[in-house]
Structure formats: C-alpha cells, structure tokens
Amino acid sequence: MSEAVSRPTLEAVAARAGVSRATVSRVVNGGDGVREPLVERVRRAVEELGYVPNQAARSLVTKRHDAVAVVIAEPETRVFADPFFALQLRGISKELTAHDNQLVLLLTEDRDDHARVGRYLAGGHVDGALVFSLHLDDALPGLIQGAGVPTVFGGRPGWSDGSLSQAPGSTPAGASPTAVYVDSDNRGGAREAVRHLVGLGRSRIAHIAGALDQTSAVDRLDGFRDVVADADPRLIVEGDFTPAGGERAMRELLDRCPDLDAVFAANDLMASGALRVLRERGRRVPDDVAVVGFDDMLPIAEQTDPPLTTIRQDIEQMGRLMARLLLRRLRRGPGEAGAEAATGVVLSTTLVRRASA
Amino acid sequence: MSEAVSRPTLEAVAARAGVSRATVSRVVNGGDGVREPLVERVRRAVEELGYVPNQAARSLVTKRHDAVAVVIAEPETRVFADPFFALQLRGISKELTAHDNQLVLLLTEDRDDHARVGRYLAGGHVDGALVFSLHLDDALPGLIQGAGVPTVFGGRPGWSDGSLSQAPGSTPAGASPTAVYVDSDNRGGAREAVRHLVGLGRSRIAHIAGALDQTSAVDRLDGFRDVVADADPRLIVEGDFTPAGGERAMRELLDRCPDLDAVFAANDLMASGALRVLRERGRRVPDDVAVVGFDDMLPIAEQTDPPLTTIRQDIEQMGRLMARLLLRRLRRGPGEAGAEAATGVVLSTTLVRRASA
DNA sequence: TTGAAAGCGCTAACAT
DNA sequence: ATGTTAGCGCTTTCAA
C-alpha cells in the first residue's frame, strides 16, 4: 500500500558497505578500478537494499538519458491498418533494450503535434530520435533536423531526393546530407515482382501504384518501370494503398485494357481489392490474370483467394537496424559527425510465391 | 552541426529578465503569485532564449516524472497480428499528451524481460504503468503489483477472478483489490452476437472459442453460454485466435455436427478461417450457415467473402480510458488509494451487420 | 510578491 | 585504489 517509500540512495549503499559514495558509483557503473573484495561488498549492499540508481540524478550530471524517442506520424494511416507498425516497434524495442535504452513513443496527428514533438526533441529529453514520416510534404523531418537531435529515419524521407539513391548500399547526397535512413528496397522488390510476372510469360502487365506522395509508392513505381520501360501508360493507375482503392484501380484498368494478363499492386491491401474485382469480372487468377502484391502483410496475403504472391520486407529487421544505427551514432558522441560513410541503408526484399502468380 | 550546444538554464532566463531563479521557476510552472509585469518579462526572456526546462533536474526534486510506462506482453501474438495494438496506443498517447505526460513503451517477450520490466518500474522512473497482459498464468501482473507502481490494466487480468465481474459497471472484489482495469464487454458482446443468430432463426449454433488461457476468450464463451445455456457440448470447440485455428475448429464442428446452422467465432481471424472451410465444404454463408465474428478487425472483417458480421469494440477509447484512469489516480497522489469505487471499467460493444449473418 | 539558499541523488575531477 | 568535494538545473521552504 505505502506507495513511494523513498528508495535507497547511493549514500545508503555506501554506508551499508562501509565505503564512499564514489566507490559505490564506480561499482554500479561497471566496477572498473575497484578491488574485488570491495566490489563484492558493494554488490551485496546494493542487493540487500534493493538499490536502483536514480536516473534523473544521473542524467543531470551526465547529460545523457539512455532514452530514444520514436516518432510516428499518424496521418500515415497505413501505419495503423497493418502490423507494420508493431513489427518495427518490436525490432526497435529489442535493440534498444539490449543496450539499456528506453523507448519514448511520440505519436503525431496534426501540426500542433508536430510543434510539440519539435519542442520535446529540442528540449533534450532524449539522446536521439527514430522518425517515421513517409510523406513527401511532411514538415516533421525538417523540424527534427532543426532540433539538432541525432536522428535516423524509417523510410527514405521525401527530401532526401533522388530515386537514384535506391540502389542498395548507395549513399545519396541529398539536400540534407546529415539525414540517415533505413528503407526497404522498394525499387528492387518491385523489379523482382515484375520480373516474376515476365518470367511467367505475361506481357500486358499493369501496375496499381500507391499514393505517390509517399516515397515507397514512387520507388515501387520506378521499379515497375525499370522492367517494363515501354509500359503502356494506360496500364498504370495510382491507388491509395487501401483495398477500396485497389478495387477502383482494377476496374479502371480492366475497362481501359481488357487484354491485360497481370497486375503488380504496390501493396497487399490493394492487391486484395484487385483480386475481388477480378473475380467479380470473371477473370481467373492466376490463369487469366496473375497478381503480385507487396509487403507480405500476413493476415491479408495468406487469406486472400487465391493466396497472394508478394514481396516480403523484413520489417522487424528494419526497426532493429534503425536503432542500431542511431545507437552507434550516439556512442560516437557529438564530435565527429560527418565522418560517416553510409547515410542510407536499404534492406533487401524477397519474393514469396503463393497461388496468385 | 554543433550538437548539444548547452541549453539555456533557469539562471540564464533569470539574468535576462532581471529577476531571481525562483521567480522564473514560478512563472514557468503556472505563474501563480507573480505580478503580471514580471510574468510578462519572464515569458519574454523564456521566449527569446528558447528556454526549455530540464526535466531531469525537475524530477530530481519533485520526484515526479510526468511519464507513464506502457507494458505490452508480446507472447500476446494477437497484439502483433492486428491493429489492436496500434489503436490502443493511439488512444493512450492522445490522453497522455493532453496531460503533458510522456509514454515510455516496454515490450516484453520472455521471463528475462519480465524481470527487467519489474526492475524498471520498481526503479521509480515513471509515475505509473498501463499494462496489457491477458494470459491467465502471466507473472507480469503480480510482479508489477509488487513494484508498487500505480497501474491500470488493459483487459481483465486473469487473477482478478470471477466472470461474475463482467457485468458492465461492476466492481469485482478479486484477489487483488487494488487492481484497476479497463476491458471490453466481451461477455455482453458475445451475448449480442449469439442473440443475433437466434433472432435469425438459427437453432444449431456453434462456438469457436479463443485460447481459453485468455480472459477475453473465457468471457466470450461465457456470453455464448448465457444465451444457449443448453448448448450441445459438441458445438463448442476451442481455437487459438488464428485463421488456421478457425479452419481446424470449423472442420471439426462440421464433422461432429453436420446439421449446425450458425457459428459464433471468438474473433474475426478465426471467423475468416471458418468461412473458408464452409466454402470449401459447399456450405453457403449465410444461407446454410450464418457466421458472426468478434473484434471488427477492419482489414479482415470487410475483406472476407462474404463480409463479416461481427462485434465491434472501441479499442482507441479503451486506451484513452486506461490513461485517464491512471492519470486521475496519479493526480490524487499516493495518499488516499483505496477510496476508489470502481476497480473495473467495462466498455460496451456494438454489433456490426454485414453479409455473413 | 520576491529573493536567498538549501538540497534532490548522482558523477567526475581532484586529492590522497 | 579509494575518498572528498563540487556542482548538474531545478523546486521549495524560509525570510525579507
């Protein structure tokens, strides 16, 4: 019942172990330069008293927080329609935990939130930030760069420029040279999807693009074009990453090009919508029209009829990597910043064959 | 480039405004008892210097952190298979943000993580905790109660005992009287689902239960039984909340009771599996067999064939409410704890009619 | 109403 | 190798 019974301090531990505060501090922080018997005594005292360091006091002097902010821009509805979000967070959490860092979650919905996040980050409450913001016109990335907090982006930020930079391992020299990001190889994955369709002997391949204000949609479209450079423009329709958008796009495609024999949708949700329209129009999948999605969003991809052939990204790994990159930067400290080689890391994707293509 | 340019302190603001630190502090914290002209001067200085209070220094003296931990037990695979997670978090985040509290996310996977979380909470780094842990045998809730941190649970914790407590607005007197939780009205929702089927004239209604080591599954089963008290035991099969589990269960049900004319599945994922098996067995839905799910998990419920009639819970609201309850408790301070009336709050559900029943 | 001063619990020089 | 000591930036008595 008695809440907040004041916790033991360093002082208390020191008294109990019969040493000075400094020695206890040393032991608690690794124990370098303290002789074994003392280390032992202190450890025991810590144990007996159930001592836990006061992080606030520590931060006050070290100016480090061992905490990282994860900023997720919510209008990003995708983020809330699929397990993406959860998987990224899981990857991030694992990595941070492994390095004794806390995860402070910042969800933003509108401009006010942006300002709030900016203030929070500028306020120096965390050592760094992991930011998801995939819209080309999003103000957040700029704000955050302004806050001067070490940051790693999830997904290529819009202003990082250049679809050129999509080659895995590349290091784009965009407008903001300090921007570090991790992304899936959207362009390469798209290429693989379309090549797969080509390999199936399809020649009239359509593309249902995602919302083109997001880099992932743009990159996937670019990948599509890489393979069918001469694509009939009528075979490309912009969707919005939703099932309904997929349906709409599929109808339009069938009306415009009844002879199409394959569809590459920029995500599984739209592919599922497309599948429904194809069925409704009496086209057999994959016999008449082969379909490939993107994401391998499990609850969807495995449950469609037929199950969806798609491009898988290792979302959790992406989260881990973001965290790892950030922590590495932090460990290096605020001295040598620009020394870094790669500012963009692109994770490879894999084709998952199911029944739809 | 120059990172970590030391931020302005209270001292600096005080100097600039020509007042004492104490006065600045007062203004920054609401400005009570400071005369208007001074308040104005200080505000301006704060503005000009871009002063942001150092939270560590503040916590050190106030012993408050304005931060709340959200603990999610991951083996809870459900949490990562659907948008549940994201929606709860969104609700929580909105509420915390509105009260200037930070959200520290703690994801746990195994026993080690439990210990870590226990230590963290006991370490007094946050003012309170919001905990999701729906497994009956989960050690986490106990650990957390032990840590002595004000806590609100999401979903009725297993040991809170008594399906009796499921009536909305009830206040169960379980083993741990201090446990406060928010839950959906799983039992009531299940009742509504089954009553709907009864209203449709169905008489051989089957139930695909969820994993019965989770209170939500137990409560939904109880709700089912409330309506068809005399249910043929062969009409009840335990699933595991996954589509594959739903398929398995549906097969078993059809084998055992070929005459069934309705199915209530404890979640949409299982319902989608059941739907597939019904189609494969040549049963028409809803003509031959009506199907109702639970959750209204959107990417699934709207995309099945036929679209799923199901029970919707207001997940985001649940998150908000949890946060609100916790903040209220914190505001009251660690004095009068037991004075609270309700220890369990149950949110009502609604039936969403689509084509499957 | 405002200011002076005493810590909050810890780390990091600096002494020993 | 260990202890002493001076703050980190803030809130909060207590005096004025």
Side-chain angles (χ1 to χ4, degrees), chain A residues 224-268:
Chain A
F224 172 81
R225 287 205 171 111
D226 286 344
V227 180
V228 284
D230 55 341
D232 182 341
R234 291 173 312 155
L235 281 171
I236 299 178
V237 178
E238 179 175 354
D240 59 0
F241 281 132
T242 72
E247 292 187 7
R248 220 182 321 101
M250 193 67 241
R251 288 210 179 84
E252 196 168 335
L253 285 170
L254 285 173
D255 291 345
R256 300 209 292 221
C257 312
D259 62 330
L260 63 82
D261 57 9
V263 179
F264 164 49
N267 76 345
D268 292 348

Side-chain angles (χ1 to χ4, degrees), chain A:
Chain A
M1 294 306 106
S2 59
E3 314 192 50
V5 173
S6 63
R7 351 210 99 275
T9 69
L10 252 202
E11 184 87 52
V13 177
R16 172 127 194 161
V19 299
S20 72
R21 269 152 46 202
T23 298
V24 177
S25 177
R26 288 178 186 118
V27 171
V28 167
N29 293 293
D32 299 342
V34 179
R35 250 194 277 272
E36 194 45 47
L38 267 201
V39 171
E40 213 24 70
R41 268 221 324 268
V42 172
R43 289 246 159 84
R44 201 184 343 274
V46 165
E47 188 69 28
E48 289 167 355
L49 263 38
Y51 169 76
V52 181
N54 179 324
Q55 183 62 45
R58 178 180 284 174
S59 293
L60 189 54
V61 31
T62 61
K63 276 136 173 30
R64 284 176 47 264
H65 304 258
D66 296 318
V68 167
V70 173
V71 183
I72 300 184
E74 263 217 60
E76 212 54 58
T77 56
R78 227 181 89 202
V79 142
F80 276 100
D82 70 38
F84 231 81
F85 176 60
L87 288 172
Q88 311 240 44
L89 237 26
R90 160 147 70 177
I92 291 171
S93 167
K94 278 186 183 162
E95 192 69 21
L96 291 184
T97 293
H99 293 84
D100 280 313
N101 267 263
Q102 293 311 321
L103 192 172
V104 177
L105 186 65
L106 266 28
L107 263 25
T108 77
E109 208 139 313
D110 50 38
R111 307 219 145 278
D112 293 358
D113 287 342
H114 282 190
R116 178 178 52 82
V117 167
R119 239 177 299 126
Y120 183 76
L121 294 182
H125 302 300
V126 291
D127 301 328
L130 262 18
V131 179
F132 296 89
S133 160
L134 286 41
H135 284 279
L136 290 173
D137 63 346
D138 198 330
L140 204 54
L143 243 169
I144 289 170
Q145 297 272 316
V149 183
T151 300
V152 173
F153 288 91
R156 184 167 63 80
W159 41 259
S160 129
D161 163 56
S163 26
L164 299 165
S165 65
Q166 274 300 298
S170 72
T171 72
S176 244
T178 54
V180 176
Y181 70 84
V182 176
D183 202 353
S184 274
D185 185 9
N186 288 305
R187 188 165 185 166
R191 276 198 294 260
E192 191 174 2
V194 182
R195 279 204 201 101
H196 175 66
L197 290 169
V198 170
L200 256 26
R202 310 291 166 147
S203 56
R204 293 288 287 167
I205 305 176
H207 179 48
I208 301 178
L212 291 172
D213 66 327
Q214 298 181 221
T215 56
S216 62
V218 172
D219 293 340
R220 289 169 197 181
L221 171 58
D222 285 343
F224 172 81
R225 287 205 171 111
D226 286 344
V227 180
V228 284
D230 55 341
D232 182 341
R234 291 173 312 155
L235 281 171
I236 299 178
V237 178
E238 179 175 354
D240 59 0
F241 281 132
T242 72
E247 292 187 7
R248 220 182 321 101
M250 193 67 241
R251 288 210 179 84
E252 196 168 335
L253 285 170
L254 285 173
D255 291 345
R256 300 209 292 221
C257 312
D259 62 330
L260 63 82
D261 57 9
V263 179
F264 164 49
N267 76 345
D268 292 348
L269 250 19
M270 293 196 296
S272 77
L275 244 25
R276 224 173 2 256
V277 169
L278 287 168
R279 194 177 327 134
E280 152 195 324
R281 296 279 182 105
R283 308 288 184 116
R284 291 172 310 157
V285 176
D287 311 74
D288 301 329
V289 179
V291 176
V292 178
F294 205 113
D295 283 350
D296 195 30
M297 177 170 160
L298 278 189
I300 293 296
E302 284 182 334
Q303 305 305 319
T304 54
D305 177 26
L308 205 54
T309 290
T310 188
I311 301 294
R312 169 180 301 166
Q313 348 179 28
D314 192 340
I315 301 305
E316 183 171 337
Q317 183 58 31
M318 188 170 154
R320 278 197 103 105
L321 201 52
M322 287 176 65
R324 196 169 302 160
L325 249 43
L326 181 61
L327 291 177
R328 188 175 307 162
R329 252 185 102 180
L330 295 180
R331 227 155 287 300
R332 241 203 296 263
E336 65 275 56
E340 252 161 306
T343 66
V345 176
V346 177
L347 258 38
S348 64
T349 58
T350 56
L351 177 77
V352 178
R353 277 210 71 173
R354 295 204 180 84
S356 71

Side-chain angles (χ1 to χ4, degrees), chain B residues 127-333:
Chain B
D127 301 328
L130 261 18
V131 179
F132 296 89
S133 160
L134 285 42
H135 285 279
L136 291 172
D137 62 347
D138 198 330
L140 204 54
L143 244 167
I144 288 169
Q145 297 273 313
V149 183
T151 300
V152 172
F153 289 92
R156 184 167 63 80
W159 42 259
S160 127
D161 163 56
S163 25
L164 299 165
S165 65
Q166 274 300 298
S170 72
T171 73
S176 245
T178 54
V180 176
Y181 70 84
V182 176
D183 203 354
S184 275
D185 185 9
N186 288 305
R187 189 166 184 165
R191 276 197 295 259
E192 192 174 1
V194 182
R195 279 204 201 102
H196 175 67
L197 291 169
V198 170
L200 256 26
R202 310 293 166 146
S203 56
R204 292 287 287 166
I205 304 176
H207 179 47
I208 302 178
L212 292 172
D213 66 327
Q214 298 182 223
T215 56
S216 62
V218 172
D219 293 340
R220 289 169 196 181
L221 172 57
D222 286 343
F224 172 81
R225 287 205 171 111
D226 286 345
V227 180
V228 284
D230 55 341
D232 181 341
R234 291 173 313 155
L235 282 171
I236 300 178
V237 178
E238 179 175 354
D240 59 359
F241 281 131
T242 72
E247 292 187 7
R248 221 182 320 101
M250 193 67 242
R251 289 210 178 85
E252 195 169 334
L253 284 170
L254 285 173
D255 291 345
R256 300 208 293 220
C257 312
D259 63 329
L260 62 81
D261 58 9
V263 179
F264 165 50
N267 75 346
D268 293 347
L269 250 19
M270 293 195 297
S272 78
L275 244 25
R276 223 169 8 253
V277 169
L278 287 168
R279 193 179 326 135
E280 152 195 325
R281 296 278 182 105
R283 308 288 185 116
R284 290 172 312 156
V285 176
D287 312 73
D288 302 330
V289 179
V291 176
V292 178
F294 204 113
D295 283 350
D296 194 31
M297 176 172 161
L298 278 189
I300 292 296
E302 285 183 333
Q303 305 306 317
T304 55
D305 177 27
L308 206 53
T309 291
T310 188
I311 302 294
R312 169 180 302 165
Q313 349 179 27
D314 191 340
I315 301 306
E316 183 171 337
Q317 184 57 31
M318 188 169 154
R320 278 197 103 103
L321 201 52
M322 288 177 65
R324 196 169 302 160
L325 251 42
L326 181 61
L327 291 177
R328 188 175 306 162
R329 251 185 103 181
L330 294 180
R331 228 154 287 300
R332 240 204 298 264

